[in-house]
């Protein structure tokens, strides 16, 4: 009959009881609560308590950390595989595969090296750094390699081909890299620490990408012989080249239809923007079937939940000494 206990320590039907633990805050030891959550989970597993439920902010955060590590391990090998398939389709040669992969590997290595040199820990946002750096680096290197193949059709002087390639590609690569870096760097002004860190290290990573793309790529190409007629023909007559040539023909000869198509696509995009939902609830980032999320639903069903709600009431001076105000407070409670 005591409202302090019902739905706090005991469910109304008396079949569910809770043990509530308030963890201490240890400054400088962000992983302390994760360790506590893992320890309690181990105790329950060893006890074989199948009906026990473990949840709470620390438990959800710990499972979120494990989810981040899982995603990171997955993307670190899936991304190179997808990039390799793309390069094989595009360039159909060993050099078109190894040179971009080398630049991508070093870009990610430098970025993560800087990230951990500042003793940063991965969060939901910063786990995107390796994939982001890989994609942008691949874009720059493909631009340079494409120009290299084009120049090799005009001249058979290897030194001249590499020089003309670099001279032609430095300005556009510089503009695309710096504008992209500044765009991500603007996140450094965000109030959220994780977003701020993502912006800073994305900025540094994209600058690393430009530096490696514009130096390493031509250096490696200078050691290799110019592509022969067979390789050049495979590059210029492949599936991708065919699609791009058709797109070019369409844009040049069907301008009005192209503009109408782009306009309709833009309208659909604008409509899609209004479907964006901002979500800051940590439990929404996990799989609905995760143990801590299932425990959250269990507590919400049997108890009052794990999140407290504070209500502040204001009134004229002395109003809460009045019997009618006290009656209102009692009714609200």
């Amino acid at each position: 009959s005591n409202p302090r206990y019902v739905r706090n320590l005991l469910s109304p039907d008396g079949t569910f009881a809770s043990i509530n633990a308030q963890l201490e805050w240890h400054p400088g030891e962000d992983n302390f609560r994760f360790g506590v959550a893992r320890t309690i989970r181990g105790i329950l597993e060893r006890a074989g308590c199948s009906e026990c439920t473990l949840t709470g902010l620390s438990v959800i955060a710990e499972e979120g950390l494990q989810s981040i590590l899982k995603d990171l391990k997955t993307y670190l090998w899936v991304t190179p595989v997808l990039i390799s398939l793309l390069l094989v389709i595009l360039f159909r040669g060993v050099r078109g595969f190894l040179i971009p992969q080398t630049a991508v590997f070093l870009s990610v290595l430098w970025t993560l090296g800087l990230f951990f040199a500042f003793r940063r820990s991965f969060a939901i946002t910063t786990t995107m750094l390796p994939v982001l750096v890989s994609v942008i680096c691949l874009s720059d290197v493909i631009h340079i390699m494409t120009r290299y193949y084009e120049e090799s059709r005009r001249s058979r002087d290897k030194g001249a081909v590499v020089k003309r390639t670099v001279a032609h590609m430095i300005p556009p690569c510089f503009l695309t890299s710096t504008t992209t870096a500044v765009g991500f760097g603007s996140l450094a002004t965000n109030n959220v620490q994780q977003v701020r860190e993502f912006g800073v290290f994305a900025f540094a990573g994209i600058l690393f990408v430009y530096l490696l793309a514009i130096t390493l790529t031509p250096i490696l190409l200078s050691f290799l012989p110019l592509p022969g007629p067979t390789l050049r023909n495979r590059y210029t007559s492949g599936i991708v080249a065919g699609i791009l040539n058709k797109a070019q023909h369409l844009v040049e000869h069907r301008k009005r239809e192209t503009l109408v198509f782009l306009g309709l696509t833009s309208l659909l995009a604008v409509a899609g923007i209004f479907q964006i939902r901002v979500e800051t609830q940590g439990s929404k980032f996990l799989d609905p079937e995760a143990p801590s999320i299932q425990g959250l639903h269990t507590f919400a069903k049997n108890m009052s939940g794990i999140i407290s709600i504070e209500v502040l009431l204001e009134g004229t001076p002395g109003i809460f000494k009045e019997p009618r105000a006290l009656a209102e407070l009692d009714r609200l409670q």
Side-chain angles (χ1 to χ4, degrees), residues 126-174:
T126 47
T127 51
M128 295 186 289
L129 279 173
V131 178
L132 174 71
V133 170
S134 299
V135 171
I136 295 176
C137 181
L138 185 65
S139 175
D140 280 353
V141 176
I142 285 179
H143 283 315
I144 296 172
M145 294 284 292
T146 300
R147 187 67 187 188
Y148 169 77
Y149 275 79
E150 293 175 354
E151 292 291 346
S152 67
R153 299 178 64 185
R154 303 187 182 102
S155 172
R156 301 309 295 168
D157 184 342
K158 182 171 64 174
V161 168
V162 173
K163 288 180 181 179
R164 280 201 296 268
T165 299
V166 175
H168 183 85
M169 295 308 301
I170 282 181
C173 285
F174 175 78

Side-chain angles (χ1 to χ4, degrees), residues 304-326:
S304 59
I306 65 170
I307 308 297
S308 62
I309 298 177
E310 298 180 0
V311 179
L312 175 64
L313 300 181
E314 296 180 347
T316 57
I319 185 63
F320 294 110
K321 296 179 181 180
E322 299 293 332
R324 61 182 180 83
L326 294 175

Side-chain angles (χ1 to χ4, degrees), residues 45-288:
E45 290 175 353
R46 289 192 298 272
C49 185
S50 59
E51 295 182 352
C52 293
T53 299
L54 180 64
T55 191
L57 298 180
S58 298
V59 179
I60 293 173
E62 194 271 333
E63 286 191 6
L65 174 64
Q66 297 304 319
S67 177
I68 289 173
L69 294 175
K70 180 181 177 181
D71 288 346
L72 186 61
K73 292 176 181 177
T74 301
Y75 293 140
L76 281 178
W77 72 266
V78 169
T79 303
V81 170
L82 294 177
I83 288 176
S84 300
L85 292 175
L86 176 63
L87 293 173
V88 169
I89 294 174
L90 285 177
F91 293 107
R92 304 188 178 190
V94 177
R95 86 182 69 204
F97 169 78
L98 290 179
I99 293 178
Q101 284 286 44
T102 302
V104 167
F105 173 77
L106 289 178
S107 298
V108 174
L109 182 67
W110 287 13
T111 304
L112 295 184
L114 181 68
F115 184 81
F116 292 118
F118 280 88
R119 301 183 180 276
R120 300 304 180 190
S121 300
F122 271 124
I124 293 176
T125 51
T126 47
T127 51
M128 295 186 289
L129 279 173
V131 178
L132 174 71
V133 170
S134 299
V135 171
I136 295 176
C137 181
L138 185 65
S139 175
D140 280 353
V141 176
I142 285 179
H143 283 315
I144 296 172
M145 294 284 292
T146 300
R147 187 67 187 188
Y148 169 77
Y149 275 79
E150 293 175 354
E151 292 291 346
S152 67
R153 299 178 64 185
R154 303 187 182 102
S155 172
R156 301 309 295 168
D157 184 342
K158 182 171 64 174
V161 168
V162 173
K163 288 180 181 179
R164 280 201 296 268
T165 299
V166 175
H168 183 85
M169 295 308 301
I170 282 181
C173 285
F174 175 78
L175 288 175
T176 56
S177 297
T178 51
T179 52
T180 305
V182 169
F184 281 103
S186 65
L187 296 176
T189 61
N190 195 282
N191 293 327
V192 181
Q193 179 182 351
Q194 295 176 353
V195 176
R196 189 165 60 246
E197 289 182 357
F198 173 74
V200 170
F201 289 102
F203 175 85
I206 295 170
L207 293 184
F208 288 155
V209 163
Y210 173 74
L211 179 63
L212 285 167
I214 212 66
T215 57
L216 181 65
T217 305
I219 289 174
L220 294 178
L221 288 173
S222 68
F223 286 104
L224 301 174
L226 291 173
T230 303
L231 182 58
R232 292 201 309 271
N233 291 334
R234 281 193 300 177
Y235 171 68
T236 56
S237 60
I239 298 175
V240 176
I243 294 174
L244 294 178
N245 288 332
K246 289 181 179 179
Q248 177 184 352
H249 177 81
L250 181 66
V251 170
E252 290 180 348
H253 297 88
R254 296 290 188 90
K255 298 179 181 179
R256 291 183 178 178
E257 290 85 345
T258 302
L259 288 175
V260 170
F261 173 76
L262 294 177
L264 292 175
T265 305
S266 299
L267 290 176
L268 289 175
V270 170
I273 286 176
F274 292 99
Q275 303 303 313
I276 293 176
R277 297 292 180 267
V278 178
E279 180 57 74
T280 57
Q281 188 174 342
S283 60
K284 297 293 185 180
F285 301 150
L286 293 178
D287 187 339

